[in-house]
Amino acid sequence: MPTDDLNKIKSELDKIYREFKDFQRTIKDLLNKHPDDSASSTITRGAMTSAGANAEIILKYILEREGITVIKNRGKINASDNPNKPAGLDDYIYTLNSKGFLPQEVRNHLKTIQDWRNHSAHGNYLDKVDESTIETINGAVKSLTRWFFEDYLKGEYEGYSIGKKQIKAESETNNTKKEFDKKDFQIAPDYSILSKSKKVQKRKSKAPIIILMLLIFGGAYFSYQKFYANSNVSAKATSGITDKDEAYDFIISYFNSLTEKGYNADRFFADEVSTFYTKHNLNPTQIDVTRQLNTEFIDNKHAIDKNSFKLIPSSDGITYWQFWADYVCYRPSKKKFQSCRVLMEFGINSGRKITSIKEIEIQNLKYSKNKPF
């Protein structure tokens, strides 16, 4: 297989891996929050949105790999439809189901994810979400991810296989918070396997592979912990911005540009943006449209805590920076100002372009009639 194709596979599978890890982190934060905590509803909505993101990126990978054109709006054409509107989760599910790629069990899991993601978007039933509901959503995401790696990609990219001891489907969990204290759901990719033929892999004994994977996983895990703990560590030369000061200045310039006349997303964003807050798989033009249509979060201000800047390890050629920021905006629907402290993540490629913006965690969410200083 050509090197470019291998690199593309690595990049796509890494995205799926990262989305899953982000979702597990959100679920863990949510279960640790008291229901009366002011941030609980925000994290709940974030968890449901993240579940949808996990499903979208998996289904999109299958569509692209199989060379299937997405059927929008279930094949119905309405004069009011925007032809430039990007395909969504419902379009992906409908297309793959019509082509016979989704077993009934997987469709059930996707319906759970889709229903609760829609509830999140409209703010429905958030006050009725309890621990059991969270476990159900989490179980659906785990089962979908496990089906993707073990059944759909079975035997093809063994380094990404998720065994029963690594990701447990909802039928195997004991539905307690203790599950999230384990490292069961961590995936350790082994890229070397991608370059081997399928037939050669099958002829070899599984014992050496298992031993090798245990060694790789153990070494990778401790290296990751060490790397993660150092906020000033440098990334590989092939990544995006790796200097803390440079990354800080770049992100500050992005936020400052949002209030400039004639702002254009092409200046900062890559041609393909995996995540733009709660939206996914956008291009710069679509990001411009999204910002123009925003009538709920007005006069956004971010005060970035530079000391909190932290480089997140990655192997997909993109540099991920996380940091805390004090955020203030005006909410017309509430006729109040909103303030909070938010943990953000920016993905920046080697061309100094943003590939993703995420809100990882929100704390101290408050509303007031007077603008906070």
Side-chain angles (χ1 to χ4, degrees):
M1 185 180 292
T3 302
D4 289 345
D5 291 343
L6 289 175
N7 289 336
K8 184 177 180 180
I9 291 172
K10 296 174 188 177
S11 176
E12 291 301 316
L13 295 181
D14 275 344
K15 286 181 182 178
I16 294 171
Y17 169 49
R18 283 181 56 80
E19 286 290 345
F20 182 79
K21 286 185 65 180
D22 286 346
F23 177 69
Q24 291 301 317
R25 189 159 45 237
T26 301
I27 289 294
K28 183 176 181 179
D29 289 343
L30 183 57
L31 290 177
N32 287 333
K33 289 285 184 184
H34 189 278
D36 295 332
D37 192 307
S38 60
S40 287
S41 62
T42 303
I43 299 177
T44 299
R45 298 184 75 165
M48 295 177 184
T49 300
S50 182
N54 274 257
E56 283 188 353
I57 196 170
I58 287 174
L59 298 188
K60 186 179 180 183
Y61 178 94
I62 297 174
L63 286 163
E64 292 180 350
R65 182 175 184 270
E66 301 293 340
I68 299 174
T69 302
V70 179
I71 303 172
K72 294 185 179 180
N73 199 31
R74 297 177 175 264
K76 300 176 183 178
I77 301 176
N78 298 320
S80 60
D81 288 344
N82 179 0
N84 296 320
K85 181 181 178 180
L89 180 57
D90 185 67
D91 299 320
Y92 297 155
I93 295 173
Y94 178 84
T95 302
L96 286 174
N97 187 43
S98 67
K99 299 294 183 180
F101 278 87
L102 302 178
Q104 181 62 52
E105 180 183 351
V106 174
R107 294 201 300 272
N108 292 340
H109 296 317
L110 285 168
K111 187 177 188 309
T112 297
I113 295 169
Q114 185 180 28
D115 286 347
W116 282 105
R117 201 273 296 271
N118 291 340
H119 290 325
S120 169
H122 299 288
N124 299 332
Y125 310 122
L126 293 182
D127 59 333
K128 299 184 184 303
V129 174
D130 56 16
E131 185 172 324
S132 176
T133 305
I134 296 167
E135 291 286 2
T136 298
I137 299 170
N138 187 43
V141 173
K142 285 185 176 182
S143 294
L144 173 64
T145 308
R146 181 177 168 187
W147 166 80
F148 171 73
F149 282 102
E150 292 188 358
D151 296 331
Y152 176 73
L153 293 179
K154 186 175 181 180
E156 191 164 358
Y157 305 123
E158 194 171 338
Y160 282 93
S161 176
I162 306 175
K164 293 181 180 179
K165 294 183 179 180
Q166 292 171 305
I167 290 187
K168 297 184 178 182
E170 75 259 26
S171 61
E172 298 172 302
T173 61
N174 60 9
N175 291 332
T176 64
K177 295 181 182 180
K178 294 182 179 179
E179 288 294 324
F180 299 97
D181 294 329
K182 300 178 181 179
K183 305 301 180 182
D184 294 350
F185 39 76
Q186 299 215 14
I187 309 169
D190 178 12
Y191 295 137
S192 64
I193 295 176
L194 294 174
S195 61
K196 299 177 183 178
S197 71
K198 195 171 180 180
K199 292 182 180 179
V200 171
Q201 290 180 46
K202 288 185 176 180
R203 286 199 299 265
K204 290 188 175 182
S205 169
K206 292 184 178 180
I209 294 178
I210 294 173
I211 295 173
L212 177 60
M213 287 304 299
L214 287 173
L215 291 173
I216 293 174
F217 179 81
Y221 174 75
F222 288 109
S223 296
Y224 174 88
Q225 292 293 85
K226 181 178 180 181
F227 188 86
Y228 191 91
N230 187 354
S231 62
N232 295 316
V233 69
S234 296
K236 300 290 184 182
T238 55
S239 300
I241 299 175
T242 59
D243 180 77
K244 179 178 179 179
D245 291 333
E246 187 178 359
Y248 174 79
D249 291 340
F250 175 81
I251 294 173
I252 285 290
S253 66
Y254 163 72
F255 282 129
N256 289 340
S257 74
L258 299 180
T259 59
E260 296 175 358
K261 186 176 181 180
Y263 164 83
N264 190 318
D266 281 316
R267 175 182 169 189
F268 286 96
F269 289 92
D271 293 337
E272 296 182 3
V273 178
S274 61
T275 303
F276 182 69
Y277 294 95
T278 60
K279 296 183 178 295
H280 303 278
N281 305 318
L282 303 180
N283 58 41
T285 299
Q286 292 165 338
I287 290 175
D288 276 335
V289 172
T290 298
R291 291 190 64 249
Q292 292 167 7
L293 294 177
N294 171 39
T295 59
E296 178 57 22
F297 299 88
I298 308 300
D299 194 22
N300 301 278
K301 301 294 182 184
H302 293 80
I304 298 177
D305 179 2
K306 185 176 180 180
N307 292 330
S308 69
F309 256 63
K310 180 163 51 181
L311 184 61
I312 306 300
S314 169
S315 58
D316 60 3
I318 297 173
T319 300
Y320 295 91
W321 286 93
Q322 284 188 5
F323 57 88
W324 286 96
D326 292 317
Y327 173 73
V328 176
C329 72
Y330 181 71
R331 300 286 300 277
S333 66
K334 298 179 180 294
K335 296 182 180 180
K336 291 182 180 181
F337 289 92
Q338 173 183 310
S339 64
C340 60
R341 186 167 173 81
V342 56
L343 176 62
M344 305 193 70
E345 179 183 279
F346 273 58
I348 306 172
N349 66 17
S350 57
R352 294 174 58 87
K353 295 286 187 177
I354 299 170
T355 61
S356 67
I357 298 179
K358 296 181 181 180
E359 291 183 342
I360 305 298
E361 182 180 347
I362 294 177
Q363 295 181 353
N364 302 326
L365 181 63
K366 299 177 182 177
Y367 298 97
S368 61
K369 292 186 178 180
N370 297 322
K371 186 175 182 179
F373 291 99

